[in-house]
Amino acid sequence: METGINRRKLMLASFLTLIASGIGFATRGAMGEVWGSEFNLGGQEFGNIMGAGFLGFGIVIFFGGIVTEKLGFKTVLVLAFFLHLISAAMLFAARPVYEHFQTTAPADASLRVYQVLFWSCFVFSIAQGLYEAVINPLIARLYPENPTHYLNILHAGWPGGMIIGGLIAAVTIGKNSSIAWEIPLACFAIAVVMYGVLALPEKFPQTVAAKTSNFGELFSCFLSPVFILLLVLHACIGYTELGIDSWVTTLMRNVLTNPVLLLVYTSSLMFVLRFFAGPIVHKINPIGLLFLSSILAAVGLFWLGSEAKTLPMILVAATVYTLGKAFFWPTMLGVAGERYPRSGAVAMGALGAVGMLTVGLISGQAIGYKADSNASAHLSQNAPETFQRYSESGTNKFLWFPEYHRLTPNLASAANATTIDEATKLPKTDKFEELRSELNRQIGKSSDARSKEELAAQISKIDEVLPTISADAKPIQNAKNFGDHRALTLTAYVPAAMAIGFLLLLIYFVLIGGYKKIDLS
C-alpha cells in the first residue's frame, strides 16, 4: 500500500456514493403513481425513465474504466460529483416545463415533462457509471488481501441507500402528500455532498495503467472465454436484481397497502447479508456462492409471482429472492478482481457495463411489457366489452414480442390514480366531470388543430366509460393483478438460466484444479 493513503476514509466515501445511488433509485421507483397522476405518464414511459437511470451507467462505466486507468481515481470521482448535483437540480425543472406546455401546447405537455425526467435520470446514471468505474477497482486495490469480502461490504451501500430512500418515499411521496415530490427525489444530493467532503481532499492510490507501460495488457481479460461467459451472466444479474427492484413497488401495488416497504425490507436484509460474504466465500468459492444464489433467486421470484398472495407468504417469498440476489453483483466484481487483476478497472467496468445496459435497454421495458401485455390479454379474454372501452386504439410493442393494446392511463389520471383499477375501485364521477370541463377549456384556448383533436378524443372516451365505470372495476383489477404477477413469474426464468451457467463454471474450475485467486505480481 502506498504511503499517506487513508483507506478507511476512502472506503467510507466510496460507500456513500452507493448510498446516494440507492436513495435516488428508491425514491424514483416510488414515483410511478405520482407522475402518472400529475403528468399522465403510463407504465411504459415510467419504465423508460427508470431504465434511463441505468442506461448512461452502462454506456459510461466501461469507457469510464479506461478513463479512470489513464486519468486516475480522483479526477473521475470529481467529475461524477458535479454531474450528480446537476441531475438533482434538473428535477426541479419538470413541473414548470409541464405547466408551460399545458398552457401553450397541452398535447405535448406529457411528452416534454417525460423528456426532462428521462434526461435527469440519464445524467444521474452517467455519474453512477463514473464513480462505479472508480470505487470497484479502488477497493480491490485498497484491500488486496480479500477483495471479494470488501467489495460486498462496499456494495452494502446500495441497499443501505434504498432503505433510506424507501423510508423517505413511504413518508413523503404519494398523491396525498403535502411535500413536493422534487424534495425527496433530490435527497440523494446530501450523500453526494458528504462523499465529496470526505474524498476530494484525500490522496488516492495509483491505477494499474500508471504502473505499467503496456496499456494493451488492460484488455487481456477479453481473450478469456471464461470472462466472456461472466459478461453474459452479469447481464442476467442486472436483469434479475436491478430490473425487479425497479418494478417491485409498482408490481405489488395491488397486493400491499404500502408496497415501497417491501423494497425497504428486502434492502435491509441485503444490507446485512453483504457484510457476511467473506466467511461464506471461505466455505464455498465465489462461483459456488453465485450458483446457489441463482437457484434461490429463481425460486423466490417464481413464488412471489405465483403463490404469494398474503402478507406472510409475500415476505417469505421476498426473503428467499433476497437471499439469492444479495451477493450477485459484488461477488461477480470480486471474481473479476481476483481472476483478472492485470485488467484493473477495465474488467470490472466491462461487467458493470453489460449489467447496467441490460437494465437500461431491456429489463425495465421488458418487465413493463410483460405486466401490461398480460393484463391486456387477460382483460380481452375475460371481459371483452370492458377491454373495448379501456384499451388504447394504437398498439404497443417491445422488440420482437407480440403487439398489444395498452389499457389507457388517461381515465385513471382523471380520478387521481395511475392505474385503471385504482380509478374504478373508488369511482368519483365528479373527477371525470371536472376533467371534461378542463379539457373543454383547453380546447377553447388552443389554436393547434392536432391538440384540439386529441383533447376531443379524451372527452369522447370519458363519455364512453362513465355509464359502466362501476361494473368495469372488478375485471380491470383482476387483469392488472394477473399482469403484475405474470411479470414476476416470467422473470424467474432468467436466474434459472444463470444457475446453469454457473454450474458450467463450477465444473470448469474443478477440471483445472479449483478456483484460485491470481496475484498481480
Side-chain angles (χ1 to χ4, degrees):
M1 178 60 61
E2 301 164 42
T3 59
I5 294 175
N6 188 333
R7 68 178 187 175
R8 288 188 176 183
K9 207 170 196 180
L10 293 180
M11 176 68 165
L12 179 56
S14 301
F15 187 83
L16 284 169
T17 64
L18 292 174
I19 289 285
S21 177
I23 292 173
F25 175 82
T27 50
R28 282 199 307 273
M31 288 304 299
E33 181 179 1
V34 176
W35 285 342
S37 178
E38 184 171 348
F39 303 133
N40 196 30
L41 299 179
Q44 198 153 339
E45 288 82 5
F46 178 66
N48 290 339
I49 293 170
M50 292 299 291
F54 298 103
L55 182 59
F57 185 118
I59 295 171
V60 167
I61 189 171
F62 176 69
F63 296 102
I66 300 170
V67 170
T68 297
E69 288 291 343
K70 293 300 290 182
L71 299 182
F73 294 121
K74 188 170 186 176
T75 301
V76 179
L77 192 65
V78 169
L79 177 58
F81 172 79
F82 285 108
L83 286 175
H84 248 155
L85 295 180
I86 291 171
S87 171
M90 289 177 68
L91 292 169
F92 292 90
R95 198 190 304 265
V97 165
Y98 184 75
E99 291 173 352
H100 169 75
F101 280 96
Q102 275 288 83
T103 303
T104 59
D108 294 331
S110 293
L111 172 63
R112 299 303 182 185
V113 77
Y114 161 75
Q115 291 171 337
V116 172
L117 296 171
F118 181 94
W119 289 111
S120 172
C121 288
F122 187 76
V123 171
F124 183 96
S125 71
I126 291 176
Q128 279 183 287
L130 289 174
Y131 71 62
E132 187 115 354
V134 171
I135 62 175
N136 293 320
L138 173 63
I139 297 307
R141 190 70 43 79
L142 292 174
Y143 297 92
E145 67 275 13
N146 196 353
T148 298
H149 176 57
Y150 284 99
L151 281 166
N152 269 279
I153 292 176
L154 168 68
H155 281 267
W158 168 258
M162 288 202 292
I163 294 167
I164 297 170
L167 292 174
I168 291 172
V171 174
T172 63
I173 294 176
K175 292 176 295 184
N176 299 320
S177 175
S178 59
I179 299 174
W181 58 260
E182 295 91 339
I183 294 174
L185 256 68
C187 280
F188 72 86
I190 298 172
V192 172
V193 172
M194 290 173 65
Y195 81 67
V197 170
L198 275 172
L200 300 187
E202 290 298 310
K203 178 183 177 181
F204 284 70
Q206 287 183 308
T207 61
V208 172
K211 296 182 177 182
T212 180
S213 58
N214 186 2
F215 188 68
E217 192 173 20
L218 294 171
F219 300 90
S220 61
C221 58
F222 294 103
L223 300 176
S224 167
V226 170
F227 186 74
I228 301 304
L229 178 56
L230 289 175
L231 289 175
V232 174
L233 292 171
H234 203 69
C236 296
I237 284 174
Y239 192 111
T240 301
E241 180 181 340
L242 300 178
I244 287 295
D245 283 348
S246 300
W247 272 99
V248 68
T249 300
T250 301
L251 294 177
M252 302 304 291
R253 64 196 163 198
N254 294 320
V255 181
L256 299 175
T257 304
N258 197 341
V260 73
L261 294 179
L262 181 63
L263 185 64
V264 172
Y265 167 71
T266 58
S267 299
S268 301
L269 185 57
M270 187 161 61
F271 179 82
V272 173
L273 287 170
R274 284 185 171 175
F275 282 91
F276 296 96
I280 297 174
V281 169
H282 283 301
K283 295 291 184 183
I284 56 173
N285 68 52
I287 304 300
L289 175 59
L290 290 165
F291 171 66
L292 293 176
S293 295
S294 299
I295 295 174
L296 288 171
V299 171
L301 272 181
F302 188 81
W303 193 356
L304 197 60
S306 59
E307 299 296 334
K309 302 296 191 295
T310 64
L311 181 58
M313 285 297 98
I314 289 171
L315 290 177
V316 172
T319 299
V320 174
Y321 164 61
T322 305
L323 288 171
K325 74 169 183 173
F327 303 115
F328 276 149
W329 197 280
T331 302
M332 283 287 280
L333 295 175
V335 171
E338 290 179 348
R339 295 293 300 179
Y340 305 96
R342 294 186 183 279
S343 293
V346 173
M348 291 185 178
L351 287 178
V354 298
M356 287 298 183
L357 283 173
T358 301
V359 179
L361 294 174
I362 300 176
S363 66
Q365 297 91 322
I367 294 171
Y369 167 85
K370 286 182 283 189
D372 285 353
S373 62
N374 278 283
S376 180
H378 186 279
L379 188 64
S380 176
Q381 294 169 7
N382 293 279
E385 293 182 357
T386 301
F387 175 77
Q388 290 298 322
R389 285 189 285 270
Y390 282 85
S391 61
E392 291 185 340
S393 56
T395 57
N396 285 40
K397 187 177 181 181
F398 177 69
L399 296 180
W400 59 86
F401 297 105
E403 296 181 354
Y404 71 97
H405 292 272
R406 188 177 66 168
L407 304 182
T408 176
N410 295 327
L411 299 174
S413 298
N416 288 332
T418 57
T419 58
I420 296 296
D421 57 280
E422 290 177 359
T424 53
K425 277 189 289 189
L426 295 172
K428 299 179 180 179
T429 55
D430 59 316
K431 290 291 183 182
F432 291 92
E433 298 291 350
E434 289 173 13
L435 179 65
R436 183 196 279 109
S437 300
E438 174 61 21
L439 293 173
N440 278 315
R441 186 185 69 80
Q442 292 179 16
I443 288 175
K445 291 177 59 177
S446 177
S447 58
D448 180 56
R450 183 171 67 89
S451 296
K452 287 186 175 184
E453 183 178 342
E454 291 179 357
L455 293 169
Q458 290 189 48
I459 293 175
S460 176
K461 193 72 174 177
I462 290 171
D463 292 336
E464 180 184 354
V465 303
L466 269 175
T468 59
I469 187 170
S470 296
D472 289 334
K474 190 62 176 178
I476 293 174
Q477 181 183 352
N478 291 339
K480 290 297 293 182
N481 287 343
F482 176 83
D484 291 348
H485 283 85
R486 185 66 176 156
L488 290 169
T489 55
L490 289 173
T491 303
Y493 289 101
V494 178
M498 287 163 49
I500 297 173
F502 286 121
L503 179 59
L504 293 175
L505 286 177
L506 276 175
I507 295 171
Y508 165 77
F509 282 114
V510 168
L511 292 176
I512 65 170
Y515 178 93
K516 297 182 180 67
K517 184 175 74 170
I518 298 174
D519 293 327
L520 186 60
S521 59

